[in-house]
Amino acid sequence: MNVSGMVWAGTLVALTAVLLADLFIIGRRPHEPSVRESSLWVSFYVGLALLFGAGLWVTAGGDVAGQFYTGWLTEYSLSVDNLFVFVIIMARFRVPRKYQQKVLLIGIVLALVMRGGFIAAGAALISQFSWVFYIFGGFLIYTAINLARQGEPEEDEFKENVLIRWSRKALPLSRDYDGAKLTTHEAGRRLFTPMLVVMIAIGTTDLIFALDSIPAIFGITKEPYLVFTANVFALMGLRQLYFLVGGLLDRLVYLSYGLAVVLGFIGVKLVLEALADNNLPFLNGGDPIGWAPHIPIWLSLTVIVGCLTVATLASLVKLSRDRRRELAEARR
């Protein structure tokens, strides 16, 4: 793809306008959204992503659109996994439900800014050093194995990172929340509220997740424009998705295994592509390895959709069986 500066600028302006409108709506009326409201917003953002992909199909062709859709679906599924940790953070810091929307949105905006830096760094590395794909691929395979072993995190397994611990110790914090404000007055002093620490927790936790998701999407496409837009569209509807499926997350018991297979598949894909384009002098004399295939985008999309579908259906089947077992035991 040859994306002009005008296209980049127009895309950034349009996406920023959507995020600002979202922030304005939340700022006017903090509340806990209903299932209907959350469903409409999630449908809106998914529709935007599908429409954007259709625009790419018309202007740049089906292969580019396929790369975007596959990358977006991968990032979206990994973002759903982030929600497990978001639920734990909200519970740990006892954030009132009606203020959680603002926390999530600001945390997501911070994550988008930081992810932009990751994407720029990753694109620069790839353009200069093709062997980076060996590192990306190996890291994703390692992450997939760990995810399959550990499953989804429990509340008592959540560890506060260094920045969160530093914030608790170094910043003058009030004991209680003051609405959704970041600062408050207490005994004549201006203090930060726990809301600031929560936003730091959300933003930094999502940044940690980016260490998995950014290499994963570079395994789908090497185009920085597609990597960035797929990340933005995946994160924009995350706030509403949190309220829509938050109560079901602990029941999707096999989702982590589905995501582990996806990450493992992309990791293997990256390693195979690195072998096919090999230029490391100590491997095959610096020549490409002929037997290593390039996995087509349609196969990647099929594997990703298939893994997520099987994981979700298996979780729902288990949930149904558990409910029937509980009813049978209650009747005894």
Side-chain angles (χ1 to χ4, degrees):
M1 287 184 71
N2 184 17
V3 182
S4 67
M6 289 293 292
V7 173
W8 267 105
T11 303
L12 290 172
V13 168
L15 294 176
T16 301
V18 173
L19 288 173
L20 288 176
D22 208 347
L23 184 60
F24 175 74
I25 292 171
I26 295 173
R28 282 188 61 188
R29 189 171 66 89
H31 66 289
E32 179 183 350
S34 64
V35 172
R36 181 177 181 276
E37 180 184 345
S38 298
S39 300
L40 289 174
W41 275 106
V42 169
S43 300
F44 170 72
Y45 281 121
V46 170
L48 275 184
L50 295 176
L51 189 62
F52 182 80
L56 289 174
W57 195 305
V58 172
T59 58
D63 185 63
V64 170
Q67 291 178 43
F68 169 77
Y69 283 133
T70 307
W72 167 69
L73 182 60
T74 301
E75 294 298 298
Y76 203 67
S77 59
L78 291 172
S79 295
V80 171
D81 198 44
N82 295 13
L83 294 182
F84 283 94
V85 179
F86 289 174
V87 169
I88 292 172
I89 290 173
M90 296 296 186
R92 175 69 64 86
F93 290 95
R94 297 183 176 86
V95 181
R97 291 282 291 181
K98 67 178 181 178
Y99 300 125
Q100 290 182 9
Q101 284 204 83
K102 185 174 182 180
V103 175
L104 288 168
L105 183 58
I106 294 178
I108 288 168
V109 171
L110 290 174
L112 281 172
V113 173
M114 292 185 287
R115 283 190 184 210
F118 266 115
I119 292 168
L125 281 172
I126 290 168
S127 65
Q128 296 294 322
F129 310 105
S130 60
W131 50 261
V132 168
F133 282 118
Y134 287 112
I135 299 175
F136 281 3
F139 178 72
L140 289 178
I141 294 171
Y142 170 79
T143 303
I145 294 171
N146 282 342
L147 183 57
R149 284 178 175 174
Q150 298 171 5
E152 301 301 344
E154 301 292 338
E155 185 170 353
D156 56 358
E157 296 176 353
F158 175 71
K159 300 286 191 303
E160 294 185 357
N161 60 49
V162 174
L163 188 56
I164 299 173
R165 294 197 299 271
W166 175 87
S167 301
R168 283 183 178 276
K169 294 178 181 179
L171 299 177
L173 293 171
S174 64
R175 290 193 174 197
D176 302 316
Y177 292 96
D178 185 5
K181 296 178 182 176
L182 299 180
T183 62
T184 187
H185 281 92
E186 195 172 280
R189 297 176 60 205
R190 179 171 287 276
L191 303 175
F192 292 104
T193 69
M195 189 67 72
L196 177 64
V197 182
V198 176
M199 289 181 179
I200 291 172
I202 293 289
T204 55
T205 300
D206 193 84
L207 183 62
I208 293 170
F209 276 107
L211 295 176
D212 301 337
S213 63
I214 298 302
I217 193 171
F218 272 117
I220 302 298
T221 177
K222 301 177 183 66
E223 297 292 342
Y225 182 77
L226 298 181
V227 173
F228 177 73
T229 51
N231 266 273
V232 173
F233 279 109
L235 288 174
M236 280 201 312
L238 194 59
R239 173 178 60 84
Q240 292 84 3
L241 192 64
Y242 169 88
F243 290 98
L244 182 62
V245 302
L248 298 175
L249 287 175
D250 58 342
R251 300 173 185 176
L252 297 177
V253 292
Y254 297 124
L255 179 62
S256 60
Y257 299 106
L259 292 174
V261 175
V262 169
L263 288 177
F265 169 78
I266 297 175
V268 171
K269 179 177 183 290
L270 278 172
V271 172
L272 289 175
E273 290 189 2
L275 290 171
D277 299 327
N278 177 66
N279 58 10
L280 293 177
F282 56 83
L283 189 62
N284 198 38
D287 295 327
I289 296 175
W291 59 262
H294 281 284
I295 297 176
I297 197 69
W298 66 264
L299 181 57
S300 298
L301 183 58
T302 302
V303 170
I304 292 168
V305 172
C307 288
L308 296 176
T309 301
V310 169
T312 302
L313 291 176
S315 298
L316 295 176
V317 169
K318 184 178 186 303
L319 175 61
S320 177
R321 287 178 178 174
D322 290 344
R323 282 180 175 173
R324 287 199 299 268
R325 187 181 301 114
E326 289 172 1
L327 288 173
E329 291 176 355
R331 290 170 183 169
R332 291 175 184 174

